[in-house]
Amino acid sequence: MTVDVLARLRGQLSHLPRAEQAIARVVLDAPGAAAELTISELAQAAGTSETTVTRFCRNIGLRGYPQLRLHLAAEAERQRSDARPDVNLAGDITPGDSTAEVIRKVGYADARAVEDTVARLDIAALDKLVEAIDAAGRVDVYGVGSSASVAADAAQKLSRIGHFAAAWSDPHAALMSASNIRPGDVAIALTHSGRTRDILDVLAEVRRRGGTVAVITSNPESPAAVAADVVLVTAARETTFRNGGTVSRTAQLTVVDCLFVLLAKHRYEESLEAMERAHDAVRGRALPMERDPR
């Protein structure tokens, strides 16, 4: 639950009211220090009021401030267990960081994005999407910007195990595709913010055509999530050079991989046969290995 609360907070950060964003930054910057503050001290540190702190807690799914302090204390303990004496892996990248420190911080952030996303996944929603895709005549995957590469990966994976799937990143082409969706078909949208207008327009068209809408997003309260039949929530840690549109790919790919493996398992023998056929079809495209002249 601790991971879920803080991951949810990171996903919703840019969409909170300004006063609550200030509270969120105090909390996320130093969970351990924030856990030691009274509600009055936290309000003062964020330049806001106790009433706003209480509203903030409820907006992120907690009953009140005491529950928030418990989660922050547990997260602080987790960060201490991850700590290294020579570098704060959970911290932002700074101009003085060495190449080795940058590599370790990037690796740590990616690993945590995967861990937090897995902890946050709605198993019932994932199973529902597997059933919908298994019964669908076609699956269209939509993603623009940095989500486009993840959409292409998802469509390729689905195609490899025998599903009719295509990825769409051009907004006009995506709308044309959505206009041909039929009842029972599935549309999967990848959108970190859940507020990308191009994606929202596509989802509206899919709904008009009677298709099933699945959304993979970091913001479960976003317009895209509200429009979806199935919502799968990701977690992504933002840093100076790894903003939401960049680091979100790691979290999105984790969800796609989970979906792919579950679908393959769902029809185990058929999936293995389909993957073998796909492998055989492209095997001849690789150059033969050169023999060692010795």
Side-chain angles (χ1 to χ4, degrees), residues 120-134:
R120 205 175 178 190
L121 273 179
D122 184 332
I123 293 175
L126 195 54
D127 286 339
K128 180 179 178 180
L129 181 54
V130 168
E131 293 289 345
I133 292 175
D134 191 58

Side-chain angles (χ1 to χ4, degrees), residues 141-144 147-156 166-168 188 190 252 256:
V141 190
Y142 303 99
V144 299
S147 294
S149 60
V150 184
D153 180 73
Q156 188 267 350
W168 305 91
I188 302 175
L190 295 129
Q252 290 174 345
V256 168

Side-chain angles (χ1 to χ4, degrees), residues 182-218:
R182 296 178 180 179
D185 292 340
V186 174
I188 302 175
L190 295 129
T191 166
H192 177 63
S193 69
R195 296 174 178 273
T196 305
R197 185 176 297 279
D198 292 328
I199 293 296
L200 295 177
D201 290 345
V202 166
L203 296 187
E205 182 65 24
V206 172
R207 293 201 70 87
R208 279 195 291 270
R209 302 299 171 183
T212 298
V213 174
V215 170
I216 300 174
T217 180
S218 70

